[in-house]
Amino acid sequence: MRVLLVEDEKKLAEALAYQLRKHGYAVDTAADGEAALALAQAQVYELFVLDWMLPKRDGICVLKEIRSLGVEAPVLMLTARDSLADRVKGLDAGADDYLIKPFLTEELLARLRALSRRKNKDYVGSLIATGAWTLDPLKGEARCGDRCAQLSQKEAQLLELLMVNEGQVLTKERIFERVWGYCAEAELTSVELYIHYLRKKLHTTAIKTARGVGYYWQDEANDA
Ligand code: CA
C-alpha cells in the first residue's frame, strides 16, 4: 500500500516514514504543500497522511486541491489543533480522519488500517484468489491446495501486486515503485531478488518472466 506522508518537521517525518515502511507501507515523503501536490499529481497513492500546518501551502489547501483532482484515497490529517471548528473545517475539506499531535505510532497505524479497510472493502484484508492460489495479504499466507507458504511483508506485497494484475506484465520499475516506494533506498535489483524468493517459497511456475521487461502472474490449471 502506497502512502504519501506530508510533514515538515524533519525528525517526525523521518520517524513516521521509518515506522510506516517497517509495517509494510511504501512511503513517499513531502516537506511542504507544493511538493505534496506535485507528487499527488505525478503518482497514485492509496493513503495520505497530511500535516495541517505546512510551508508554502497548508494541509487544508493541499487536501482541497487533491480532492478537486478527483483523488478519492483516504486522507488522515495530523494536527496540533484540536478545536471543534478546525476539525469540522478539515472534514468539510474532505479529510477522512484526524490525529492530534503528539500521538503514538500504534495509534497512527491503527487509524491507517481502519481507513484502508473502509475504502478498500473488497481488497485490503480480504483474500485474493487467482486460479489455484489464494493470498491473505495481511497474514502473508499464500495457499495452493494443501501447501501454505509464509511470506515476509515485501514478498506478500509483491505477490499481491502480481496476483491482482493477473496476466498483465508489470515492469520492474512499476513493481519497484508500488512495493518499495518512489523515494525508497532499496535498489531496482531488489525486484529480481524478491521474485526469486517468491518462486522458491511458492514452488510455482505461475510467476512468469517477460524477458527484458518485467514479470507477470499466470496460474496454469496444472500448477497445483
Ligand atoms: Ca507542521
Side-chain angles (χ1 to χ4, degrees):
M1 176 147 293
R2 194 131 180 234
V3 185
L4 179 60
L5 169 65
V6 190
E7 170 60 66
D8 60 312
E9 286 167 52
K10 197 160 177 272
K11 279 197 172 157
L12 179 60
E14 280 170 6
L16 291 178
Y18 172 81
Q19 287 296 335
L20 289 171
R21 287 190 182 117
K22 203 171 128 193
H23 287 84
Y25 293 92
V27 185
D28 291 344
T29 55
D32 65 64
E34 279 176 15
L37 281 174
L39 279 169
Q41 278 169 308
Q43 311 286 332
V44 177
Y45 295 99
E46 287 135 303
L47 274 174
F48 289 81
V49 178
L50 183 58
D51 188 27
W52 184 305
M53 300 295 280
L54 289 169
K56 297 187 184 168
R57 299 221 201 166
D58 70 16
I60 287 291
C61 176
V62 172
L63 176 59
K64 283 184 178 161
E65 193 79 20
I66 62 171
R67 288 295 185 234
S68 77
L69 291 169
V71 174
E72 289 177 358
V75 175
L76 173 71
M77 292 210 72
L78 304 179
T79 178
R81 309 171 178 211
D82 58 357
S83 78
L84 183 64
D86 283 341
R87 285 191 205 209
V88 170
K89 199 170 148 195
L91 293 170
D92 279 349
D96 296 273
D97 200 4
Y98 261 92
L99 207 47
I100 309 293
K101 289 177 177 179
F103 52 83
L104 295 172
T105 309
E106 288 72 24
E107 176 70 21
L108 174 69
L109 292 167
R111 300 281 188 103
L112 291 181
R113 279 195 299 272
L115 282 177
S116 50
R117 270 201 301 273
R118 220 188 289 163
K119 286 269 172 167
N120 305 289
K121 271 185 226 103
D122 307 324
Y123 184 61
V124 175
S126 57
L127 295 179
I128 295 164
T130 63
W133 286 91
T134 55
L135 170 69
D136 183 329
L138 290 183
K139 285 188 191 156
E141 282 176 5
R143 287 177 187 277
C144 177
D146 299 336
R147 276 188 280 154
C148 178
Q150 190 62 48
L151 307 177
S152 72
Q153 242 159 16
K154 282 279 172 269
E155 290 164 352
Q157 281 181 293
L158 175 57
L159 182 59
E160 179 180 347
L161 184 65
L162 291 168
M163 285 175 77
V164 298
N165 291 288
E166 186 186 9
Q168 274 181 57
V169 176
L170 302 170
T171 64
K172 282 181 200 172
E173 289 77 11
R174 171 133 185 256
I175 294 172
F176 183 77
E177 275 190 27
R178 301 294 295 184
V179 177
W180 280 268
Y182 188 55
C183 309
E185 280 161 27
E187 290 177 31
L188 199 54
T189 50
S190 309
V191 176
E192 288 156 47
L193 188 64
Y194 276 78
I195 289 282
H196 170 74
Y197 291 156
L198 270 184
R199 281 177 173 152
K200 241 179 129 175
K201 280 197 180 175
L202 303 181
H203 302 287
T204 179
T205 57
I207 302 170
K208 312 287 188 196
T209 301
R211 212 163 284 285
V213 183
Y215 302 95
Y216 63 103
W217 177 268
Q218 192 75 66
D219 187 7
E220 275 119 33
N222 61 2
D223 197 50

